[in-house]
Amino acid sequence: MNKSLVLIFAAVAAAACTARYDVVVAGGGTGGTAAAIEAARNGARVLVVEESPWLGGMLTSAGVSAIDGNYRLRGGIFGEFTDSLAARYGGYEALRSGWVSNILFNPAAGAEIFRNMAEEAGVQLRFGTSVTEIRPGWRLTLSDGTRIKARILIDGTELGDVAKAAGAEALDDGVTLQDLTYVAVVKEYDHPVPVPEPEGYSTDTYRSCCRNPLAEDCGGVNPLGQQLWSADMMLSYGRLPDGHIMLNWPVAGNDIYLDYLDMPRDSVYRLAKNRTLGYIRFLQTGLGMENLGIADDVFPSEDGLPFYPYYREARRIAGRDTMTVSAARDPYATDLYTRAVAVGDYPVDHHHVQNPRREELSHLWFGKIPSFSVPLGVVIPVKVEDLLVADKAVSVSWEMNGAVRLQPVITGLGQAAGALAALAVKKGCHPSEVPVEEVQSLLLDHGCYLMPFLDLKPGDDGFRELQEKGVRGEVKGTGRTVGWANETWVKVPEE
């Protein structure tokens, strides 16, 4: 047999061994999980490739099981997820177990809910696997050697690694990475559970995490300018409904600054874990909480910690739309609102206290904005067709990332990416060619908010009509900040 025939037969054999999917979601992060569920519910053949053994990303695998914002904007998959949590724990009031959030839960419970939703939708799942090679036509090689082909590829990773490898252009607007956190879930044992002293441990790192005899306390503020709370307030911050405690404490706790995007992952994990282990060590030895230790019944990992850190920043793509703080503050100054597919109501929350440049970045601490919508184009790269982004790598300005990165917004954008992918498959076109009105209509079918109007909620008479009028500009909302809450109303309530 001549050489050319051998090559032809080899190519045919390889093609025959290549599994084909309408949509491959690389990374089962918060947005990737929502994208997969939505795409599968709309008839697409969907595969999720996820390194960890769980779906849900920052909500589960990274341990951030305290939801930031959107408590009054619970729609779509986000609303389904929180309703499932409420049903599991005995109602929404039971989820208010810690003061940092209105919705807290055990990460393992969240992972189980997401997996059930995905399997019921028909999503195929490959855990413990990642994409190692991306070739034209979205021919992918996985870490286990499997070859697959995707009609549409969705990046659901924590850092936007797949979008970068697939050729997506970066949004170059300057970036100073936010502090990251290796979250821990701890519980009270009936005996001491000492954490060994990690590399680089110093009590000086943690002594001003709360009001205590070791704190360098000057008027209730530590040397980094952070308010000092009592030890009880520090622990009740992330108390979960089952009594476990989520440690995600930014006040001389387990936040750490690393220039992590291009660092070796094992180095990032080691340094971030050491910061967290040191924090737990200080709680045990410095504050006398010797029975407080890493929970042995949450994460199925060797050390009991989450599978990866909580990254607040990712590589952001240049998208067909870019969401900015100015667009949130003045939503009708541009036409971005007409392409709205997801909503958020959290302030612009940046963590930079551990950064050596913290003084020049201090203005970013909880910047006030009204509740806001995010346009569809943030998930669509400008130059690469049939690629979508469904997690924190969406096209938002660096400053606005502080509000868009939060779990409810990313869930909504992931659902929008999944709807867009499914429609593109059905229509036989690129996602960039699908009319935004069709995506919005499908999302409204599934009880999603497009505009953050609080006047009506999903299921109310007139909700859909109000949302449709909102994106057409036939009615407009008025945004305001009330305490910690950001609101938008068509008819503003009287004070």
Side-chain angles (χ1 to χ4, degrees), residues 67 296 324 339 371 472:
I67 293 175
D296 58 4
T324 65
R339 298 186 289 281
S371 52
R472 291 197 299 262

Side-chain angles (χ1 to χ4, degrees), residues 340-404:
V341 291
V343 296
D345 65 2
Y346 209 69
V348 179
D349 180 14
H350 277 243
H351 285 228
H352 294 292
V353 172
Q354 297 301 320
N355 192 314
R357 297 172 52 205
R358 59 181 167 269
E359 293 298 328
E360 64 184 274
L361 299 169
S362 61
H363 67 285
L364 294 166
W365 188 256
F366 285 106
K368 290 187 177 182
I369 55 174
S371 52
F372 57 91
S373 293
V374 187
L376 179 64
V378 304
V379 308
I380 310 172
V382 289
K383 294 181 179 178
V384 184
E385 294 286 9
D386 300 328
L387 172 69
L388 300 173
V389 174
D391 216 274
K392 292 182 286 289
V394 294
S395 183
V396 296
S397 69
W398 169 66
E399 186 176 358
M400 189 61 189
N401 172 66
V404 172

Side-chain angles (χ1 to χ4, degrees), residues 65-299:
S65 56
I67 293 175
D68 294 305
N70 282 39
Y71 187 70
R72 292 189 291 173
L73 294 170
R74 301 193 303 270
I77 288 173
F78 172 66
E80 291 179 50
F81 177 69
T82 60
D83 284 349
S84 295
L85 289 172
R88 177 172 296 231
Y89 286 103
Y92 273 97
E93 283 301 313
L95 304 180
R96 297 189 183 196
S97 50
W99 59 268
V100 71
S101 171
N102 288 323
I103 300 178
L104 295 101
F105 57 95
N106 188 304
E112 182 181 338
I113 289 169
F114 275 132
R115 181 160 187 166
N116 289 341
M117 292 172 70
E119 290 180 342
E120 288 171 5
V123 177
Q124 296 185 44
L125 304 170
R126 278 180 177 264
F127 293 110
T129 313
S130 60
V131 174
T132 57
E133 183 183 11
I134 301 175
R135 288 167 290 163
W138 302 150
R139 297 180 183 277
L140 313 174
T141 302
L142 307 185
S143 54
D144 61 4
T146 302
R147 293 181 177 180
I148 60 177
K149 186 178 187 305
R151 163 73 173 79
I152 293 173
L153 177 62
I154 298 180
D155 184 334
T157 64
E158 293 299 301
L159 299 179
D161 295 332
V162 167
K164 178 184 178 183
E169 182 179 319
L171 184 63
D172 185 15
D173 62 348
V175 61
T176 299
L177 294 176
Q178 292 194 54
D179 300 342
L180 62 87
T181 308
Y182 217 111
V183 174
V185 175
V186 298
K187 69 178 184 180
E188 190 78 21
Y189 290 84
D190 60 4
H191 57 275
V193 281
V195 169
E197 195 171 286
E199 178 185 0
Y201 175 76
S202 171
T203 58
D204 290 342
T205 304
Y206 311 101
R207 63 172 49 182
S208 57
C209 63
C210 65
R211 293 197 298 272
N212 71 89
L214 298 176
E216 298 177 15
D217 187 353
C218 180
V221 178
N222 72 12
L224 297 180
Q226 296 169 291
Q227 178 180 351
L228 293 189
W229 303 84
S230 68
D232 286 343
M233 288 291 284
M234 175 179 64
L235 294 182
S236 62
Y237 167 93
R239 189 173 295 279
L240 308 183
D242 59 9
H244 289 64
I245 296 169
M246 180 198 69
L247 294 180
N248 177 20
W249 187 244
V251 183
N254 49 339
D255 276 13
I256 184 172
Y257 172 73
L258 297 171
D259 192 11
Y260 56 79
L261 283 180
D262 295 313
M263 284 178 63
R265 184 178 297 183
D266 58 350
S267 297
V268 174
Y269 286 21
R270 175 176 55 81
L271 293 169
K273 281 186 178 184
N274 282 345
R275 177 62 62 93
T276 294
L277 293 172
Y279 177 42
I280 299 171
R281 169 84 178 181
F282 179 78
L283 296 180
Q284 294 175 340
T285 61
L287 301 185
M289 303 176 186
E290 59 182 11
N291 290 2
L292 191 70
I294 297 170
D296 58 4
D297 53 359
V298 179
F299 296 100

Side-chain angles (χ1 to χ4, degrees), residues 72-73 332 371 449 451-458 460-463 466-467 475-479 487-493:
R72 292 189 291 173
L73 294 170
Y332 300 108
S371 52
Y449 283 89
M451 305 296 288
F453 301 155
L454 290 175
D455 306 74
L456 297 171
K457 63 182 183 296
D460 287 348
D461 290 342
F463 172 79
L466 182 65
Q467 293 287 312
V475 297
K476 294 185 177 180
T478 299
E487 304 177 348
T488 302
W489 300 83
V490 174
K491 185 178 179 180
V492 179

